[in-house]
mmCIF file of all heavy atoms in Angstrom:
data_model
loop_
_atom_site.group_PDB
_atom_site.id
_atom_site.type_symbol
_atom_site.label_atom_id
_atom_site.label_comp_id
_atom_site.label_asym_id
_atom_site.label_seq_id
_atom_site.Cartn_x
_atom_site.Cartn_y
_atom_site.Cartn_z
ATOM 1 N N SER A 127 35.470 103.191 -17.509
ATOM 2 C CA SER A 127 36.744 103.214 -16.961
ATOM 3 C C SER A 127 37.010 102.315 -15.816
ATOM 4 O O SER A 127 38.059 102.003 -15.389
ATOM 5 C CB SER A 127 37.007 104.704 -16.480
ATOM 6 O OG SER A 127 36.275 104.936 -15.285
ATOM 7 N N ASN A 207 43.633 111.407 0.671
ATOM 8 C CA ASN A 207 43.972 111.219 2.152
ATOM 9 C C ASN A 207 44.689 109.821 2.208
ATOM 10 O O ASN A 207 44.465 108.919 1.405
ATOM 11 C CB ASN A 207 42.685 111.062 3.014
ATOM 12 C CG ASN A 207 42.141 112.437 3.304
ATOM 13 O OD1 ASN A 207 42.716 113.232 3.918
ATOM 14 N ND2 ASN A 207 40.921 112.613 2.779
ATOM 15 N N GLU A 453 22.079 83.695 7.743
ATOM 16 C CA GLU A 453 21.570 84.792 8.539
ATOM 17 C C GLU A 453 22.753 85.530 9.133
ATOM 18 O O GLU A 453 23.462 84.889 10.090
ATOM 19 C CB GLU A 453 20.596 84.300 9.632
ATOM 20 C CG GLU A 453 19.373 83.625 9.031
ATOM 21 C CD GLU A 453 18.157 83.773 9.887
ATOM 22 O OE1 GLU A 453 18.275 83.648 11.079
ATOM 23 O OE2 GLU A 453 17.094 84.141 9.325
ATOM 24 N N ASP A 487 19.625 100.137 -0.503
ATOM 25 C CA ASP A 487 19.190 100.796 -1.646
ATOM 26 C C ASP A 487 20.292 100.953 -2.718
ATOM 27 O O ASP A 487 20.119 100.823 -3.916
ATOM 28 C CB ASP A 487 18.849 102.364 -1.212
ATOM 29 C CG ASP A 487 17.352 102.418 -0.815
ATOM 30 O OD1 ASP A 487 16.709 101.367 -0.705
ATOM 31 O OD2 ASP A 487 16.955 103.563 -0.457
ATOM 32 N N HIS A 525 5.164 96.082 17.159
ATOM 33 C CA HIS A 525 6.213 96.083 18.154
ATOM 34 C C HIS A 525 7.121 97.276 18.115
ATOM 35 O O HIS A 525 7.642 97.765 19.150
ATOM 36 C CB HIS A 525 7.256 94.866 17.952
ATOM 37 C CG HIS A 525 6.841 93.653 18.621
ATOM 38 N ND1 HIS A 525 5.762 92.949 18.183
ATOM 39 C CD2 HIS A 525 7.358 92.983 19.614
ATOM 40 C CE1 HIS A 525 5.681 91.840 18.988
ATOM 41 N NE2 HIS A 525 6.596 91.842 19.859
ATOM 42 N N SER B 127 7.946 101.653 21.904
ATOM 43 C CA SER B 127 8.516 100.588 22.647
ATOM 44 C C SER B 127 10.087 100.699 22.648
ATOM 45 O O SER B 127 10.760 100.078 23.529
ATOM 46 C CB SER B 127 8.205 99.243 22.094
ATOM 47 O OG SER B 127 8.840 99.072 20.837
ATOM 48 N N THR B 178 32.627 99.517 10.993
ATOM 49 C CA THR B 178 33.679 100.380 10.629
ATOM 50 C C THR B 178 33.794 101.567 11.603
ATOM 51 O O THR B 178 34.880 102.178 11.782
ATOM 52 C CB THR B 178 33.592 100.892 9.120
ATOM 53 O OG1 THR B 178 34.827 101.372 8.798
ATOM 54 C CG2 THR B 178 32.626 102.042 9.023
ATOM 55 N N ASN B 207 19.093 83.929 16.737
ATOM 56 C CA ASN B 207 20.406 83.294 16.505
ATOM 57 C C ASN B 207 21.370 83.757 17.583
ATOM 58 O O ASN B 207 21.283 84.824 18.115
ATOM 59 C CB ASN B 207 20.940 83.689 15.170
ATOM 60 C CG ASN B 207 20.275 83.003 13.984
ATOM 61 O OD1 ASN B 207 20.424 81.921 13.876
ATOM 62 N ND2 ASN B 207 19.638 83.780 13.198
ATOM 63 N N GLU B 453 37.077 113.333 7.305
ATOM 64 C CA GLU B 453 36.961 112.567 6.078
ATOM 65 C C GLU B 453 37.266 111.141 6.489
ATOM 66 O O GLU B 453 38.386 110.807 6.887
ATOM 67 C CB GLU B 453 37.919 113.069 5.036
ATOM 68 C CG GLU B 453 37.703 114.426 4.593
ATOM 69 C CD GLU B 453 38.038 114.662 3.151
ATOM 70 O OE1 GLU B 453 39.073 114.226 2.741
ATOM 71 O OE2 GLU B 453 37.247 115.299 2.414
ATOM 72 N N ASP B 487 20.564 106.263 2.689
ATOM 73 C CA ASP B 487 19.058 106.474 2.522
ATOM 74 C C ASP B 487 18.360 106.092 3.861
ATOM 75 O O ASP B 487 17.478 106.864 4.346
ATOM 76 C CB ASP B 487 18.532 105.452 1.509
ATOM 77 C CG ASP B 487 18.558 106.043 0.063
ATOM 78 O OD1 ASP B 487 19.136 107.142 -0.050
ATOM 79 O OD2 ASP B 487 18.094 105.355 -0.880
ATOM 80 N N HIS B 525 34.435 110.709 -15.371
ATOM 81 C CA HIS B 525 35.429 109.671 -15.003
ATOM 82 C C HIS B 525 34.833 108.174 -14.671
ATOM 83 O O HIS B 525 35.518 107.235 -14.875
ATOM 84 C CB HIS B 525 36.093 109.997 -13.614
ATOM 85 C CG HIS B 525 37.278 110.896 -13.727
ATOM 86 N ND1 HIS B 525 37.186 112.192 -14.149
ATOM 87 C CD2 HIS B 525 38.549 110.658 -13.440
ATOM 88 C CE1 HIS B 525 38.380 112.714 -14.113
ATOM 89 N NE2 HIS B 525 39.260 111.839 -13.748
#
Side-chain angles (χ1 to χ4, degrees):
Chain A
S127 70
N207 284 296
E453 299 211 317
D487 273 3
H525 272 70
Chain B
S127 70
T178 202
N207 283 297
E453 299 211 318
D487 273 3
H525 272 68

